[in-house]
Amino acid sequence: MNNGYRAWNRGGGRSRRKRRQRMMKTVILSLIVALIIAASVIFLFTLKRLGENAKDKETDILKETETIAPETNPEDTASGILKEGFITKKLTEKQLHEGDLILVRSGAPYVFPEETDLKDLYTGRKKYENGARAYQISSTDIELDSFILSKLNEMTETFFELTGEGGLLIKSAYRSYESQKEIFDYRVERDGKEEALKYVALPGESEHHTAMAFDMSVYKDGANTYIEDEEEYLWIYENAHKYGFVLRYPESKADITGIAYEAWHFRYVGVPHAYYMYKEGLVLEEYLELLKNEHSYDGIHLTFDADDGNSYEIYYVPAADKGETEIILPSGYEYTVSGNNTDGFIVTVNISGGEEQ
Ligand SMILES: [Zn+2]
């Protein structure tokens, strides 16, 4: 202890100076540390504020999206016929690819169902008492969806009974993926790919896969001709819509359909749609775009009187990004729903019938 004290006292003046210097150093150091801490605090605080601002903006975007997104409460969105009352129904992703209005084309392949109700035209045609047929077929294995075949029979029998002309010839109807591939490969080999693609769809992208399309021309005086070249047969072009059929690839719409003019290719889309498309000169691509852009479920529905004596109201419902889509349907009215094969559903309501029995 003493030693220590002594040591302290020895050379006391120098030691006190040193102590003051040390104290000064400590104060300066403390000041620097304090400054660094203050700077850090300010810096961190600024960072936090910036972060919060960014978050605020993010929330704003979300809020905006929320406002833009369609209202989910059907009470608020009911318009047109739905105002009279509605039910909600959930549709599966699979159903997006089913129905009279599916668009199958380049870039929109057909989703093959597990089963198709096919019927062959050979046995499915009516045989008149004198053995006559309303139309000819180029082979015995041509098939269509059985309901579509009944519509084809209805149309051709009416025509045959009206005119006595029995030369309509069905050359092709339903095609499996494999049979389309055979046709495509053959055409590529024969004409080259560029030329083949003008007329023949890639396997998987042909309307023929749907069993709702067929190729029909005329067999007359031992030769194949086209409907457009036979005056007696023009009735088909003028009346096909009454049976739900449209000439799918008109000359003036090749840039829209992506397929060159085909005077022979018919597709079933259902009576009111075929009527509207025929009357307005729209191809399926244009018609579906019109419904999607201008006749949404929460907007103004498309309404018209078709020439089958019924009035229809039609609207589009966007499909959910994933999973089931809840759609609102009229209650008390006959309706059908079809997917468009890409992004939504079309609801078709027969509004002339009134309350369903
Ligand atoms: Zn065809």
Side-chain angles (χ1 to χ4, degrees), residues 27-323:
V27 168
I28 290 166
L29 262 173
S30 306
L31 272 172
I32 290 170
V33 168
L35 270 171
I36 289 171
I37 291 173
S40 304
V41 166
I42 291 166
F43 177 69
L44 284 173
F45 185 72
T46 315
L47 266 185
K48 196 168 165 256
R49 280 295 303 274
L50 280 173
E52 272 167 7
N53 277 347
K55 230 181 184 178
D56 280 353
K57 266 181 203 147
E58 227 168 69
T59 323
D60 282 345
I61 291 164
L62 280 177
K63 271 182 203 151
E64 237 177 74
T65 323
E66 273 160 22
T67 353
I68 290 164
E71 287 287 343
T72 43
N73 182 6
E75 293 276 359
D76 303 333
T77 54
S79 67
I81 192 79
L82 300 170
K83 278 185 187 153
E84 291 181 25
F86 59 81
I87 52 163
T88 61
K89 198 175 176 185
K90 280 186 176 151
L91 299 179
T92 63
E93 279 181 71
K94 198 174 141 247
Q95 284 174 292
L96 183 62
H97 310 290
E98 298 169 352
D100 297 344
L101 289 168
I102 53 167
L103 178 68
V104 175
R105 54 162 288 141
S106 168
Y110 183 55
V111 178
F112 286 87
E114 276 167 31
E115 250 177 87
T116 310
D117 179 22
L118 294 172
K119 189 157 176 66
D120 72 275
L121 277 55
Y122 180 67
T123 58
R125 297 178 294 174
K126 179 176 177 176
K127 192 176 181 180
Y128 288 90
E129 270 177 29
N130 60 0
R133 307 282 193 172
Y135 59 92
Q136 313 304 311
I137 45 176
S138 64
S139 73
T140 54
D141 58 357
I142 299 176
E143 295 171 308
L144 273 175
D145 173 278
S146 67
F147 175 74
I148 312 300
L149 176 55
S150 74
K151 300 309 284 184
L152 169 65
N153 286 340
E154 221 181 283
M155 172 172 77
T156 49
E157 283 161 22
T158 307
F159 172 70
F160 180 63
E161 286 158 27
L162 267 173
T163 65
E165 299 283 349
L168 286 169
L169 172 69
I170 310 282
K171 287 177 136 182
S172 178
Y174 168 74
R175 291 178 201 159
S176 66
Y177 185 92
E178 290 72 25
S179 56
Q180 182 70 18
K181 192 175 180 308
E182 269 172 40
I183 293 166
F184 185 77
D185 291 346
Y186 167 76
R187 286 293 284 266
V188 169
E189 190 142 313
R190 197 187 73 181
D191 308 328
K193 193 167 182 181
E194 200 186 318
E195 195 58 26
L197 277 170
K198 283 185 195 167
Y199 293 96
V200 187
L202 282 172
E205 295 182 341
S206 169
E207 252 190 4
H208 285 276
H209 295 318
T210 65
M212 295 194 285
F214 54 86
D215 296 337
M216 186 163 70
S217 48
V218 178
Y219 184 77
K220 206 180 150 191
D221 306 326
N224 284 315
T225 65
Y226 299 121
I227 293 170
E228 64 177 350
D229 297 327
E230 302 298 329
E231 220 192 318
E232 312 92 297
Y233 288 83
L234 292 178
W235 182 96
I236 294 292
Y237 285 159
E238 287 150 18
N239 293 275
H241 67 272
K242 293 174 183 166
Y243 304 89
F245 296 109
V246 290
L247 189 68
R248 183 65 180 85
Y249 305 117
E251 198 162 17
S252 58
K253 303 292 174 90
D255 54 332
I256 298 166
T257 62
I259 299 278
Y261 177 45
E262 292 193 355
W264 55 88
H265 182 107
F266 292 85
R267 155 75 192 268
Y268 183 81
V269 291
V271 166
H273 309 293
Y275 166 77
Y276 194 82
M277 287 164 70
Y278 175 75
K279 186 173 70 97
E280 299 296 322
L282 303 173
V283 287
L284 188 56
E285 282 87 351
E286 295 172 301
Y287 182 57
L288 292 174
E289 275 299 298
L290 174 80
L291 294 177
K292 180 180 166 178
N293 296 334
E294 290 176 37
H295 302 292
S296 189
Y297 73 108
D298 55 352
I300 298 161
H301 300 173
L302 175 66
T303 54
F304 59 86
D305 302 325
D307 62 355
D308 65 348
N310 289 313
S311 303
Y312 294 91
E313 186 165 322
I314 297 161
Y315 58 92
Y316 168 87
V317 184
D321 288 340
K322 241 185 172 179

